[in-house]
Amino acid sequence: MSNRQVRSNRTSLAVAVASIVWSTAAAAQEAPAADIQEVQVTAQRTNSIESKTPVAMSVLGGTALAEAGIERPSDIGARIPGVAIVGAADGLKITIRGVSNADATEKGEPSAAFMQDGVYIARPHGQNGDFLDVERVEVLRGPQGTLYGRNTTAGVVNVISHAPTARFEGAAAAEMGNQGHRKVEAMLNVPVGNGIALRAAVSENRRDSLLKNGQGTPHTLGQDRDASAGRLSAKFALGQSASLLLRLDRTVQRDNNDVIVPDTNFYGGIENGNPQPHDAGTSVRLTNGFVPPNSVPEQGHSRRASTGLGAELAWDLGPATLHYLGSRRRFDHDFLVNYYYRIMPGFALGVRQDFDARYEQDSHELRLATNGKGPFSAQGGVYWFREEMDQLASFRDLEPIGLPPFYVFPSNPVVSTSRALFGQLIWHATERLRLTAGARRTEDHKSRYGSTNLQQAPQFNPATDIAMPNAAELETGKTTWRLGVDVDLAPATLLYASISSGYKSGGFNDGCVGGTRALGVDCPAAIGVPASTLVYQPETLTAYELGLKTRFWANRASLNLSAYRYAYDNLQLSGVAMVQGVPRFVTSNAGEASVKGLEVEGVVKPVANGRLSTTLALTDAHYLAYSPDGVHSWAGYKLDRAPRAVFTLGYEHAFQLRDGVLKAAAFSRTGSDWTIGVPSQLLRYRVPGRTETDLSLGYAPFGSPWSVLLRVKNLEDKVEPVTIDSFGMTVPSAPRAVALRLDYRF
């Protein structure tokens, strides 16, 4: 990091701290501080308060999200210790405690489960929709394999929307800001009577492109926004002991998938295999000035349409409650994107990709949970999931590397099924001591029928074109488990410890094993790939955790501590590599890694109208044994998106004026440097540490349904790489954003 950057970071942090100190001092003579409110959560699939839940977790409420300008899941990572969540070109990328995933293709699986109202959303490019009428977001850190299942080695992000209530109410909001930002949203909740309530929510969100076109074309670039969303919910009381909640949601995002710039906007020395960050202004870093030597870019576009129907049934049977959670979802995605495709150091091609896909998923869970306050409480159930995918990806302009005009990947169908049996038992050994044991058996099956085509035209011609089969199927399974103990050291202090395991299913890469037959397709020996290249193994994790949650100073302060250590085997790392003379996206097992760390979350209410919050995450995440190419060792290198230290500090204060309340807030996050690795290219990009500050000022008149809020995000107006892929395509973070928000509630 340069001296200039260091001075800038220190100055920004000093501004934020000065604002906090000034606000605290100004309020020192006010009334005694109020309690910190308890938050109801469902992290362990039952209702409990966060301070008594023996899991490392963070909760962000819907009101706090709106005030902070957190509009999508990709925005929440900055507020949570040990978590990095970013919107990549290929969808949402979740990293928790250094555990991440880079394969967002139809055959890939995430390392952290993303859920909407408890329903698993499989595809990363269908996860980053706008928040709509959200009650809260729960982020669970660490493996959650027992109660949440596969693909939770890193943790769980669960977005929970408001359910209909028996109260008539409504709300509307409008925002305007720089970069052409404009947004409107509305909600209406209506009790119908006889135990029926309806709730509807809608939103429209627009923003101009954040990127600048330096390619000499008239086209607009990406990182724009054009999203519409709606949800209709209905809740029915079925007699005295049962309730049914139905949700129907629809989201359409029409934006531009040209969201990248060359990595040279941020780094030099790439041609030497040693990328070094260089100084550049925000405007330069957000400019795509790459002029392809082999093609002319087209106007990029993207359309993501997601539709879901969900049902939740709760039936109180007396000793236990029967829960059913089911969902059917469909996600359609098509786009045209212009690549920066570096084929050798110092030289890149322009490549156009057309993509069209459909994804359908069904999930059902039946769970029985005990009621009452006996010495034992338990829950258990069965789970079933199926996803079927049909997609066509076509790449053009690769003739300079010896490929035909069209390099095409048709896949239809790709099927993934998962079924599980799970249970968890808690023994209340004494009034203060509880022991937990849980296990889950998961069986996964994957299959794909498709091909890698070398075509002379958009449509396949058997007389002139070549089709190399991508036909494979794979069965994997794992029993994940959890052992835990928690004890009340005092009425407001909980100490807990756990040992748990996580599992992410294995999979297969493009190609087929020569001389074999799969799914009715023969694989000629001449085009076959080694079995070791085709299949990769499940990813597993054993986690040891010790935590403390306490409230003190007459419930005006809270502190959550968590220390953990992971033994991480068979990491699944992905990138583009040449296989049988053609580029393919390959996932392989990376060997072993060690992750350990400490996380701190604290809240203090020094005065009645003030709230000070802070987090600290210390992480040591590195490879123990890994060679990307069988020659070079990456042992000792840091895992991606795992800075050694991240510190946040925030303060908000409500000033009582004669006619209303003025609320000021400041939040600042500073972190050490971190890494983006591209194993297939033997490249490691160091992202320098920096500080980012958000400010807001709001006013609400007494007795009025109106309120207004002025918000500034990224006060420093600095950007950094969010992701970098095998070709050098880089997604930058967002620059400074200013917005004015008007709310009305009744």
Side-chain angles (χ1 to χ4, degrees):
M1 184 186 297
S2 68
N3 291 334
R4 182 183 303 172
Q5 288 175 310
V6 172
R7 288 194 299 270
S8 175
N9 289 350
R10 288 175 176 172
T11 300
S12 300
L13 186 58
V15 169
V17 172
S19 300
I20 292 169
V21 172
W22 173 81
S23 298
T24 304
Q29 303 301 319
E30 296 188 13
D35 290 353
I36 298 174
Q37 294 183 352
E38 292 282 9
V39 179
Q40 289 285 333
V41 298
T42 54
Q44 292 198 310
R45 310 301 303 277
T46 58
N47 290 320
S48 62
I49 58 175
E50 185 277 330
S51 64
K52 292 297 184 180
T53 303
V55 176
M57 65 178 300
S58 298
V59 184
L60 299 174
T63 300
L65 294 173
E67 291 179 351
I70 298 175
E71 298 183 321
R72 291 182 172 183
S74 56
D75 297 336
I76 68 176
R79 301 274 170 156
I80 302 173
V83 174
I85 305 179
V86 298
D90 52 5
L92 195 67
K93 192 177 296 294
I94 303 173
T95 304
I96 302 178
R97 296 174 169 175
V99 181
S100 188
N101 175 66
D103 188 354
T105 68
E106 80 285 356
K107 60 183 178 57
E109 302 284 358
S111 294
F114 180 87
M115 297 187 170
Q116 174 70 51
D117 294 313
V119 174
Y120 177 66
I121 309 297
R123 292 302 102 204
H125 28 295
Q127 297 172 352
N128 202 24
D130 285 359
F131 288 138
L132 177 65
D133 194 27
V134 169
E135 178 182 337
R136 67 186 185 277
V137 178
E138 297 182 5
V139 180
L140 283 60
R141 302 186 293 277
Q144 308 295 326
T146 300
L147 295 179
Y148 290 91
R150 72 204 250 277
N151 302 339
T152 60
T153 50
V156 171
V157 177
N158 192 9
V159 179
I160 301 169
S161 58
H162 282 285
T165 67
R167 175 185 176 187
F168 177 78
E169 61 178 335
E175 289 187 18
M176 294 187 65
N178 64 334
Q179 304 290 350
H181 171 64
R182 58 268 192 208
K183 178 181 180 180
V184 294
E185 53 189 355
M187 176 278 295
L188 181 64
N189 187 96
V190 180
V192 180
N194 297 321
I196 302 175
L198 304 177
R199 191 179 185 98
V202 295
S203 73
E204 294 278 343
N205 197 353
R206 306 283 186 272
R207 185 183 68 194
D208 297 339
S209 172
L210 300 181
L211 302 183
K212 300 174 176 61
N213 188 345
Q215 297 179 297
T217 68
H219 307 319
T220 57
L221 299 182
Q223 298 206 20
D224 57 332
R225 190 163 292 176
D226 184 350
S228 305
R231 181 186 301 113
L232 180 63
S233 306
K235 190 169 185 178
F236 305 88
L238 307 178
Q240 298 296 316
S241 59
S243 66
L244 176 65
L245 174 59
L246 301 177
R247 290 187 175 101
L248 175 65
D249 65 83
R250 171 75 171 174
T251 300
V252 179
Q253 296 171 273
R254 304 177 185 86
D255 49 24
N256 190 337
N257 229 36
D258 281 338
V259 298
I260 59 94
V261 298
D263 54 359
T264 52
N265 282 22
F266 293 86
Y267 295 91
I270 299 168
E271 62 280 1
N272 300 322
N274 185 28
Q276 294 296 320
H278 59 67
D279 290 331
T282 297
S283 179
V284 172
R285 289 182 166 178
L286 294 176
T287 299
N288 186 356
F290 171 62
V291 179
N294 61 315
S295 65
V296 178
E298 297 182 36
Q299 176 61 62
H301 63 80
S302 174
R303 181 181 183 274
R304 299 174 176 89
S306 177
T307 304
L309 175 63
E312 293 183 50
L313 173 68
W315 185 7
D316 188 344
L317 303 175
T321 298
L322 182 67
H323 298 269
Y324 167 76
L325 177 61
S327 173
R328 177 168 178 80
R329 302 196 63 85
R330 172 166 173 161
F331 176 63
D332 296 277
H333 191 197
D334 67 85
F335 64 76
L336 166 65
V337 64
N338 297 277
Y339 278 3
Y340 170 83
Y341 188 100
R342 186 169 56 240
I343 60 173
M344 64 179 64
F347 183 72
L349 298 176
V351 174
R352 292 167 289 177
Q353 182 192 1
D354 298 282
F355 183 87
D356 191 8
R358 183 192 75 252
Y359 310 87
E360 294 182 344
Q361 68 169 66
D362 295 274
S363 62
H364 303 275
E365 181 186 78
L366 193 64
R367 181 171 57 91
L368 191 66
T370 59
N371 298 325
K373 297 184 178 180
F376 294 97
S377 58
Q379 58 179 306
V382 293
Y383 175 79
W384 182 85
F385 170 86
R386 185 181 190 274
E387 181 186 28
E388 182 170 334
M389 297 162 274
D390 172 8
Q391 71 176 42
L392 177 66
S394 178
F395 298 86
R396 294 176 279 162
D397 311 314
L398 286 167
E399 293 94 331
I401 64 171
L403 292 177
F406 293 87
Y407 186 42
V408 184
F409 293 84
S411 296
N412 182 23
V414 181
V415 178
S416 176
T417 61
S418 181
R419 55 188 183 273
L421 179 68
F422 65 93
Q424 181 166 288
L425 175 69
I426 301 177
W427 176 31
H428 301 259
T430 70
E431 185 178 350
R432 298 168 54 188
L433 176 66
R434 293 159 295 276
L435 304 176
T436 300
R440 186 184 190 108
R441 179 63 190 181
T442 302
E443 299 287 346
D444 293 311
H445 178 269
K446 292 182 180 180
S447 65
R448 177 175 59 164
Y449 178 81
S451 60
T452 300
N453 294 354
L454 307 179
Q455 299 179 192
Q456 301 300 317
Q459 301 300 320
F460 183 79
N461 183 347
T464 60
D465 301 336
I466 298 174
M468 297 177 286
N470 293 328
E473 58 182 336
L474 181 68
E475 294 268 5
T476 59
K478 184 73 174 179
T479 298
T480 51
W481 47 268
R482 178 183 180 87
L483 298 174
V485 56
D486 61 280
V487 58
D488 297 319
L489 298 181
T493 301
L494 175 72
L495 177 69
Y496 65 92
S498 67
I499 306 174
S500 59
S501 65
Y503 152 74
K504 185 169 77 169
S505 58
F508 38 76
N509 294 307
D510 296 338
C512 56
V513 178
T516 65
R517 181 178 178 85
L519 303 176
V521 179
D522 291 318
C523 182
I527 63 172
V529 301
S532 59
T533 302
L534 179 65
V535 175
Y536 54 91
Q537 300 303 313
E539 184 178 273
T540 60
L541 172 66
T542 302
Y544 305 84
E545 185 146 354
L546 178 66
L548 177 74
K549 296 185 177 183
T550 184
R551 293 189 169 216
F552 53 97
W553 194 22
N555 203 29
R556 291 158 53 185
S558 69
L559 181 66
N560 291 355
L561 302 174
S562 177
Y564 60 90
R565 182 167 190 146
Y566 292 171
Y568 201 3
D569 293 318
N570 282 334
L571 283 79
Q572 296 171 5
L573 296 183
S574 307
V576 174
M578 298 297 293
V579 180
Q580 296 294 90
V582 294
R584 308 189 196 214
F585 194 81
V586 176
T587 296
S588 61
N589 296 106
E592 300 178 4
S594 170
V595 183
K596 55 187 176 182
L598 173 68
E599 296 163 350
V600 181
E601 290 182 281
V603 176
V604 179
K605 296 202 70 175
V607 292
N609 297 326
R611 178 186 173 96
L612 177 70
S613 60
T614 185
T615 70
L616 173 66
L618 303 176
T619 308
D620 178 10
H622 60 274
Y623 298 106
L624 293 177
Y626 175 44
S627 176
D629 60 353
V631 177
H632 299 83
S633 174
W634 279 21
Y637 287 175
K638 289 195 297 185
L639 299 186
D640 283 9
R641 296 175 183 82
R644 289 191 177 275
V646 177
F647 175 71
T648 71
L649 184 64
Y651 184 76
E652 58 185 45
H653 192 91
F655 298 91
Q656 301 286 337
L657 304 181
R658 184 179 63 179
D659 299 321
V661 176
L662 184 68
K663 184 177 180 180
F667 174 85
S668 192
R669 179 183 189 272
T670 187
S672 59
D673 62 346
W674 49 282
T675 300
I676 299 176
V678 183
S680 62
Q681 305 297 320
L682 294 178
L683 293 175
R684 294 178 53 79
Y685 297 84
R686 184 181 67 84
V687 182
R690 70 186 183 107
T691 297
E692 185 171 315
T693 305
D694 300 341
L695 303 174
S696 67
L697 185 66
Y699 177 70
F702 289 133
S704 172
W706 297 95
S707 63
V708 64
L709 177 75
L710 178 64
R711 183 178 65 236
V712 180
K713 297 180 64 178
N714 188 4
L715 178 67
E716 296 82 358
D717 196 29
K718 300 295 185 182
V719 299
E720 64 184 5
V722 169
T723 62
I724 305 175
D725 75 354
S726 303
F727 310 127
M729 293 191 293
T730 302
V731 177
S733 61
R736 181 189 298 129
V738 181
L740 181 66
R741 178 183 175 93
L742 181 65
D743 279 275
Y744 178 79
R745 304 190 67 88
F746 61 90

